[in-house]
Amino acid sequence: MVQLSTTVTPAKEQAEKYAASVFETIKKRNPGEEEFHQAVEEFLASVIPALAEQPEYEKQGILERLTEPERLITFRIPWTDDQGKVHVNRGFRVQFNSAIGPYKGGLRFHPSVSGSIIKFLGFEQIFKNSLTGLPIGGGKGGADFDPKGKSDAEVMRFCQSFMTELSKHIGPDTDVPAGDIGVGGREIGYLFGQYKRLQNRFDAGTLTGKGLTYGGSLTRTEATGYGLVYFTREMLAAKNETFQNKKVVVSGSGNVAIYAMEKAQELGATVIACSDSNGYIHDPNGIDIPAVKQLKEVERKRIKEYLQTHPDADYVENGNVFELPCQVALPCATQNEINAEKAQLLIDQGVLAVAEGANMPSTLEAIDLFHQNGVLFGPAKAANAGGVAVSALEMAQNGTRLSWSFEQVDAELDRIMTTIYQNSSEAATRYGHEGNLVVGSNIAGFLKVADTMLLHGII
Ligand code: NDP
């Protein structure tokens, strides 16, 4: 397992033994689930200083209980394409931990979705949600369905079949799904429509990321990307730096990437590149965000089509967007997109800060390299918590039947992201790892959940 420091005390030695033995059990019990192992390994290595201070966590089996989902549901999703052919996909919902509130976390529709991916996402969600300071537990779900190239009618039939089973397991006080990769406003609309029809109730608080006409919150669409930039602004400020005149590179061109680019440009940066799974565009004068929105949100086209309206930009098929020199890198596509080699290239070309909009986009080796080379590093569970934070604000608005203004939600998002930065930074210092936001965010997220689990008894 990853080692964080060499100072050894008997309590720390015992904590390390405890974490290592839990990790061994996890690997045995969940063979082949590499993404899940990776997320747990990073977490366990980080919380050792907190375990060393509180032996009760080991006695009460807190790590064993935290790493085993309360419930994992898998189900069949049959649906019919436009030619009348029947297809079957696999659906998942992991209800990981409900110590501090109802399960909350997005749904991912992507062909790579597996039990391992849903479990790593659900596990991280526990601590992310805790960091927001809002009363939400951790969950995640999805299906190995690829919405790309499907008609609206096919996506609708798929969503209806998916929700027919999922509806048995969710509700405003039980489990509240939202969007993630491949699940945006269109999919949430179809999912909510089917849920409402099955329940014969308008339970707005059962899904977040809804449209504004049926209980959605202003700023939810922008929240993860804007929140990422607010968090990165705080990281930079700690080193007396700002976004002003910085070159920024973003991976992905979906929901998180678009609004991270928009806010970074608003704060004075030049975003020179973004990507999709086929390649990247490079526009040294600054990416034209409305053009990317039109391509991706309205026309659902590939990013290379940007060249049709911006012939001076470059497109690199299958390229690594992080090969471009930049001061700030914001990975906003998917897990493990930055390995050690890409991290080293970013470092060699003078990157100042890397903040994760995607979930677990950096490998453990890449994170070590960033830390060893003094790169400011913002881990996903802190840096991209803005989406779920505003989802919880959407639930609050649904509960009171009120709608808050864009400015009100945006100000609250900014406050939450700034507080997450401060709490993570303070926890890192308090536990002997000043500047290490991986340690800080894991410990800050963990303590609230673990202490609440102690209060609830053995469940
Ligand atoms: P979208 O589906 O809107 O966009 C995803 C983007 O990433 C697309 O450009 C997509 O390209 C690219 N991408 C996805 N998978 C891969 C892959 N395997 N290889 C290369 N590129 C890929 O998703 P979001 O923007 O919502 O999510 C992006 C990331 O942010 C995910 O890691 C998600 O978990 C995380 N996140 C999202 C939140 C939200 O509120 N939406 C909240 C917190 C985290 P292509 O179209 O070619 O597939």
Side-chain angles (χ1 to χ4, degrees), residues 108 148 180-182 220 224 253-256 277 302 333 358-359:
R108 177 177 291 192
K148 269 199 280 252
D180 190 80
I181 292 178
R220 176 60 189 90
T224 310
S253 49
N255 173 261
V256 180
S277 56
R302 310 311 298 156
N359 282 309

Side-chain angles (χ1 to χ4, degrees), residues 164-399:
T164 300
E165 178 59 31
L166 186 71
S167 64
K168 299 169 189 161
H169 311 285
I170 61 175
D173 298 315
T174 310
D175 185 354
V176 184
D180 190 80
I181 292 178
V183 179
R186 174 183 62 172
E187 290 75 16
I188 293 289
Y190 294 147
L191 291 164
F192 185 77
Q194 180 73 351
Y195 181 79
K196 180 170 71 65
R197 173 203 216 178
L198 291 166
Q199 304 297 313
N200 195 25
R201 272 169 67 92
F202 198 100
D203 263 340
T206 302
L207 281 167
T208 58
K210 298 183 294 295
L212 296 176
T213 53
Y214 63 97
S217 174
L218 286 161
T219 326
R220 176 60 189 90
T221 306
E222 295 83 357
T224 310
Y226 278 19
L228 171 67
V229 172
Y230 294 147
F231 188 89
T232 314
R233 180 197 63 202
E234 295 304 303
M235 287 167 53
L236 291 169
K239 297 281 177 208
N240 292 319
E241 290 281 2
T242 67
F243 267 104
Q244 198 69 39
N245 300 324
K246 297 285 184 303
K247 271 190 195 162
V248 177
V249 165
V250 173
S251 64
S253 49
N255 173 261
V256 180
I258 287 173
Y259 293 94
M261 294 196 281
E262 182 169 276
K263 186 52 79 176
Q265 307 248 57
E266 249 178 71
L267 297 190
T270 306
V271 180
I272 58 166
C274 67
S275 64
D276 62 19
S277 56
N278 293 108
Y280 73 79
I281 50 162
H282 178 208
D283 192 341
N285 300 321
I287 299 281
D288 177 353
I289 315 284
V292 175
K293 282 188 188 172
Q294 175 67 22
L295 271 181
K296 289 292 178 181
E297 294 183 337
V298 182
E299 298 171 16
R300 298 180 189 276
K301 286 189 176 156
R302 310 311 298 156
I303 199 67
K304 73 172 170 210
E305 300 293 328
Y306 184 85
L307 297 197
Q308 298 296 329
T309 48
H310 297 73
D312 293 341
D314 293 321
Y315 173 70
V316 182
E317 182 83 12
N318 293 324
N320 159 29
V321 71
F322 297 115
E323 71 193 7
L324 298 168
C326 62
Q327 283 99 41
V328 179
L330 303 175
C332 295
T334 194
Q335 61 276 354
N336 291 327
E337 40 171 322
I338 302 186
N339 58 15
E341 196 187 329
K342 289 182 185 170
Q344 192 59 55
L345 188 57
L346 280 165
I347 294 162
D348 293 344
Q349 303 203 93
V351 76
L352 196 68
V354 177
E356 298 184 323
N359 282 309
M360 208 168 75
S362 317
T363 64
L364 295 173
E365 295 75 23
I367 296 173
D368 282 348
L369 280 172
F370 292 138
H371 283 145
Q372 286 157 16
N373 288 277
V375 174
L376 299 169
F377 179 72
K381 60 171 71 73
N384 74 22
V388 75
V390 171
S391 275
L393 301 180
E394 183 175 331
M395 290 161 72
Q397 292 169 76
N398 295 150

